[in-house]
Amino acid sequence: MVNDGTFYFDEKLVNMREQQGPLATTSSVVRGLTAFSSVITESLNLTGDKILGIAKFFLGIGIPGDTKNFFDQVDSLACLENNRVSIPLILSLPSTVISLTKKDSLKVKVNTVLGSHAPPLTVTLVRAFSSSARDNSIIENQELKFDPQDAVYFLDDLPASFDVGEYIFVFKMLVQDSEQQTVYATGTLTQVPIYVTGLIKIENAKIAVLDSDLGSVETQKKLDLAGESTVSVSANHLQKLRLSFQMSTPLGNAFKPHQAFLRLRHETKVEHTFVVGSSGKKFEITLDFLGLVEKFFYLSGRYDIQLTVGDAVMENSLLRDIGYVELDLPEPPENASRPPPQPVDPYTRYGPKAEITHIFRAPEKRPPQELSLAFLVLTILPLFGFIIGLLRLGVNLKNFPTSAVPATFAVIFHLGIAAVLLLYVLFWLKLDLFTTLKTLCFLGVFLMVVGHRTLSHLASASAKLKSA
Amino acid sequence: MYQRERERERERDYREEMARSTGKDAQALFHSLRSAYAATPTTLKIIDLYMGFAVFTALIQVVYMAIVGSFPFNSFLSGVLSCVGTAILAVCLRIQVNKDNKEFKDLPPERAFADFVLCNLVLHLVIMNFLG
C-alpha cells in the first residue's frame, strides 16, 4: 500500500519471458476477482479500503501510452464499476483553487469510477487546516449541502478567518441508506490540498537614495506599484539605494511571497538580481553601491529597475519596470573583470545579413572620343601617302596578264587576299576564333591554289623574258 | 699678349672652317646617297615605300599612346607590332628579291612574294586575335 491511498499488485521477476507490469498484474487480479464474485453466492471478505485503493490506482495513472495498458485500465475500471464485492465511490473537486475576491464556494463531486451517479451521501468536511500549521484546524465537522441540479456538494460561506494560503481539507463521505453501506466502498478520509487566493495589499512603496556615510536621505520618491508610472533617480558609488514597501493579506496578516526580487539591468543588457528581504509586513532592500562597484563591473550609466513580487496564492503578482537609476561608478582598474558577454539575438547572428552590393572596378579613364577619332584619321593617312608614293614612283600595272585564264586567276588571287582580310575584320568585330579558323582553312587552301597558279604563270613569263 | 690674341684668332678660324667643312661634307654625303638611291630598281623602291608607311603608322600609334596612356595595352601592342611585323616581313622580301644578293640568287621572286603574302596573313590573324 502506497501513501497516497492507492493499492496495486506487482509481479516478482522470476525468469519469465514476458514480464507484466503492475498495471497488467493488477488488472488481471481485478478481472478475476470480479468474475469470481459474480458467480459465487457468498460475499467475499474484502475491506472497502482495498477496493478503493485499487480504483484509485487505475484512476491515478493517467492515460497509458500503450494500447494494451489502456485496455487493461479501462477494462478494470469497468469491472469495478458494477462488481459484487463493493463499488468504489470517488470524491473529486472540480477546482482546488478558491478565490477570496471572487467569493468562490467549495464544491465537491462524488461519482463511481467511470463517472456515473452515486447514491445519496452525506459529505462532511472533517477538518481544514493550513499546511503550515497542521495542528490548528480552522473548520471542524462541517456538513456540505447537496445541489441536485449540478450534482455537487458545496460549502457556501467559508468562515471569515480564512486567509490566503495553502490548506488541506479532509473529507468523509457516508452512504445515507444504511443498507447500501456494504455495497459501496467510500473509504475513511480523503485529503485534498486547497489553495485559497486573494488580492495582496502592497502599500507604502518608496525608493530612496541615501548618503552612505550618514545614512541621510538625499532623494526619496513614492512608487505606485499598481499603476504604470515610472520614477528616475540618480546615484553615485558613494550612495545607497533603498527600496521598501509593505505587504499584507486581505485579513491584514503578514505575507511572505515566494518571489520578491529586484533586478537592475544595464544598457548593455548586463543584469544583477537581488532578493528583497522582509521582516513581518515590511519589505526592504538596500543596495550599497560602494560594495557593489566590482560586482557591477564598473559599468556606469542607466540601469533599469525591475521589481518582481509573486506567489501562487497572490492574485495580483507583479513583474514591472518601476523606473531607472542613473549610476555613476568610478573607472575600472587594470585588472577588473569584464562583464560576461551577453547572448546575441539569434536572428542577428543566424538571420540574413546585410546585402553586399558589389562595387565594380571603376572603368579606366578613356580619352575623349574626338581625340580618338582624330588619331584614327591620322593613322589612315600613311596608307594614302603610300598609294600616292606608289603612283609617283610610276608603278606599272603593265605586267598584269591580259589573256583570259591567267587574268581571271590573278583577279581571283587578289580577291582571295581581300576576302581573307575581310574575314579578319569580321573576326575582330564579332566572330570567334574557331569559326574564323574554319573559314580561314577553306579560304587559305583556295588562295594557295589560285596564288600558286598566278605566280607560277608570272614566274614562267618572266623566265621566258629572261631567256629571251 | 699680342701673341695670345693671334692664337685665339687662329683657333676661331680653324673651328669655322671645320664647321663649314662638316656641313659641306654632310651635304655631299646626302647628295651622293640620293643619287645612289635613284638607281635602285622600282620594285625595291616600292618595298621601301611600304616599309616607310608601316613604320610611320607605328610612330603615330606610339604618339597616341603617349598622349592618352596605355589603357588597352593589348590593343596598343597589337597595333604597333602589326606595323613593325609587316615592316620586318617587307625587309625579308627586299633581301630575297634583290638581284645583287648572292645568297638568294636561285629563289624566284614570285616565291618570295608568296611567302611574304602568307606570312603577312598569319601575322594579321594573330594581330586580330590580340586586338581584343
Side-chain angles (χ1 to χ4, degrees):
Chain A
M1 185 113 174
V2 190
N3 266 344
D4 58 354
T6 60
F7 187 58
Y8 63 94
F9 294 91
D10 202 353
E11 198 178 41
K12 272 218 270 215
L13 181 62
V14 185
N15 280 342
M16 292 229 351
R17 253 180 287 133
E18 199 180 300
Q19 183 194 2
Q20 288 182 331
L23 179 59
T25 320
T26 316
S27 77
S28 57
V29 168
V30 166
R31 265 185 237 127
L33 185 70
T34 49
F36 187 54
S37 70
S38 63
V39 291
I40 56 171
T41 46
E42 306 127 18
S43 57
L44 288 171
N45 192 12
L46 273 176
T47 56
D49 269 351
K50 292 217 170 58
I51 298 287
L52 194 62
I54 294 176
K56 280 191 182 168
F57 167 71
F58 282 113
L59 288 172
I61 52 176
I63 307 227
D66 195 5
T67 42
K68 184 175 183 308
N69 286 341
F70 186 49
F71 169 73
D72 284 339
Q73 180 195 35
V74 175
D75 190 42
S76 313
L77 286 176
C79 290
L80 289 171
E81 168 94 351
N82 254 326
N83 66 75
R84 290 276 303 274
V85 185
S86 61
I87 304 175
L89 291 175
I90 307 293
L91 184 142
S92 58
L93 277 81
S95 157
T96 51
V97 175
I98 302 175
S99 165
L100 287 180
T101 32
K102 287 191 266 189
K103 296 201 191 312
D104 286 339
S105 55
L106 176 70
K107 289 198 174 82
V108 170
K109 270 181 139 142
V110 181
N111 296 107
T112 59
V113 288
L114 287 182
S116 323
H117 285 298
L121 301 159
T122 24
V123 181
T124 321
L125 176 60
V126 176
R127 269 201 324 272
F129 49 87
S130 165
S131 43
S132 47
R134 285 175 182 253
D135 306 323
N136 204 6
S137 79
I138 305 175
I139 303 179
E140 293 231 358
N141 283 330
Q142 183 90 9
E143 194 176 310
L144 277 76
K145 297 195 267 280
F146 182 65
D147 179 14
Q149 235 177 351
D150 297 329
V152 286
Y153 295 84
F154 63 95
L155 185 68
D156 225 340
D157 307 308
L158 289 173
S161 58
F162 251 99
D163 207 354
V164 293
E166 289 169 42
Y167 294 88
I168 298 184
F169 284 18
V170 183
F171 294 94
K172 189 170 92 157
M173 36 181 189
L174 206 59
V175 183
Q176 279 175 359
D177 192 356
S178 54
E179 278 172 34
Q180 297 218 314
Q181 271 177 12
T182 45
V183 178
Y184 293 97
T186 54
T188 47
L189 296 173
T190 315
Q191 279 194 346
V192 181
I194 298 274
Y195 287 88
V196 179
T197 64
L199 288 174
I200 304 292
K201 280 200 286 272
I202 309 179
E203 49 204 3
N204 233 355
K206 289 198 292 279
I207 189 163
V209 175
L210 313 167
D211 246 344
S212 189
D213 299 342
L214 310 168
S216 64
V217 175
E218 201 169 295
T219 39
Q220 175 160 294
K221 294 201 180 165
K222 285 182 85 68
L223 288 171
D224 179 21
L225 290 176
E228 293 288 317
S229 60
T230 55
V231 298
S232 68
V233 293
S234 64
N236 61 33
H237 68 287
L238 296 169
Q239 294 170 325
K240 299 187 212 186
L241 183 80
R242 184 177 69 196
L243 175 79
S244 60
F245 52 92
Q246 287 178 340
M247 294 220 286
S248 55
T249 65
L251 291 174
N253 299 325
F255 178 73
K256 194 161 158 55
H258 288 153
Q259 301 166 332
F261 301 131
L262 182 72
R263 184 180 293 171
L264 289 178
R265 184 170 61 231
H266 190 237
E267 305 158 316
T268 55
K269 311 258 187 295
V270 178
E271 291 183 337
H272 307 279
T273 313
F274 306 92
V275 177
V276 180
S278 72
S279 59
K281 287 193 205 170
K282 213 162 166 350
F283 285 77
E284 185 180 298
I285 178 170
T286 307
L287 297 176
D288 186 3
F289 292 122
L290 201 58
L292 289 171
V293 162
E294 216 176 283
K295 185 171 173 346
F296 278 20
F297 304 111
Y298 294 88
L299 287 171
S300 300
R302 192 173 133 145
Y303 282 82
D304 290 321
I305 308 176
Q306 196 184 56
L307 180 66
T308 309
V309 177
D311 194 276
V313 302
M314 188 170 155
E315 281 174 15
N316 55 336
S317 307
L318 69 96
L319 191 156
R320 199 164 88 74
D321 286 317
I322 53 178
Y324 61 90
V325 57
E326 288 279 351
L327 210 52
D328 185 19
L329 298 177
E331 286 296 316
E334 286 298 315
N335 55 347
S337 53
R338 315 217 114 268
Q342 296 307 305
V344 178
D345 178 21
Y347 279 106
T348 51
R349 185 187 286 185
Y350 298 115
K353 295 223 188 295
E355 200 170 311
I356 305 172
T357 49
H358 183 75
I359 303 171
F360 286 97
R361 190 168 51 104
E364 298 267 346
K365 203 159 53 91
R366 307 304 293 266
Q369 215 172 2
E370 300 86 23
L371 188 65
S372 309
L373 285 172
F375 263 91
L376 182 67
V377 169
L378 219 59
T379 316
I380 304 290
L381 279 182
L383 180 65
F384 294 123
F386 176 60
I387 293 172
I388 293 169
L390 277 183
L391 289 173
R392 275 184 53 169
L393 276 176
V395 65
N396 59 334
L397 294 168
K398 282 184 264 164
N399 263 351
F400 202 82
T402 41
S403 50
V405 166
T408 43
F409 273 124
V411 165
I412 291 171
F413 175 62
H414 283 87
L415 283 179
I417 293 185
V420 170
L421 292 177
L422 185 68
L423 175 69
Y424 287 166
V425 170
L426 276 178
F427 167 50
W428 182 50
L429 286 178
K430 55 180 187 167
L431 292 177
D432 60 355
L433 191 59
F434 297 105
T435 48
T436 313
L437 283 178
K438 267 191 279 194
T439 326
L440 193 61
C441 276
F442 294 120
L443 272 180
V445 165
F446 167 72
L447 194 63
M448 274 211 267
V449 166
V450 169
H452 179 73
R453 278 286 187 85
T454 312
L455 288 173
S456 56
H457 173 83
L458 257 180
S460 60
S462 66
K464 261 190 257 166
L465 211 63
K466 247 197 253 178
S467 57
Chain B
M1 183 181 52
Y2 194 53
Q3 232 183 354
R4 215 171 292 151
E5 254 194 51
R6 250 189 287 158
E7 271 185 32
R8 256 186 257 130
E9 227 184 87
R10 236 182 284 153
E11 265 189 56
R12 226 183 299 132
D13 288 339
Y14 181 63
R15 262 189 251 123
E16 274 180 29
E17 209 181 300
M18 286 308 288
R20 255 182 274 134
S21 71
T22 37
K24 266 196 272 179
D25 283 340
Q27 269 192 340
L29 191 66
F30 189 59
H31 281 305
S32 64
L33 274 174
R34 267 187 91 172
S35 53
Y37 188 67
T40 52
T42 324
T43 42
L44 294 181
K45 279 202 206 148
I46 295 173
I47 295 172
D48 290 337
L49 184 65
Y50 179 74
M51 266 198 299
F53 145 65
V55 170
F56 197 52
T57 314
L59 274 175
I60 291 183
Q61 290 183 25
V62 170
V63 165
Y64 179 61
M65 187 217 81
I67 293 179
V68 302
S70 69
F71 161 54
F73 195 56
N74 56 320
S75 312
F76 162 66
L77 275 184
S78 145
V80 166
L81 287 180
S82 88
C83 298
V84 169
T86 192
I88 291 170
L89 288 172
V91 164
C92 294
L93 179 65
R94 192 179 198 279
I95 293 172
Q96 288 177 340
V97 161
N98 199 354
K99 291 196 197 58
D100 298 331
N101 214 341
K102 297 292 185 299
E103 263 180 40
F104 294 99
K105 207 163 51 147
D106 296 327
L107 188 75
E110 283 75 23
R111 165 77 196 284
F113 180 68
D115 284 340
F116 171 72
V117 166
L118 184 69
C119 291
N120 253 323
L121 289 180
V122 171
L123 172 75
H124 282 89
L125 176 68
V126 172
I127 288 301
M128 286 310 214
N129 195 19
F130 197 51
L131 199 57

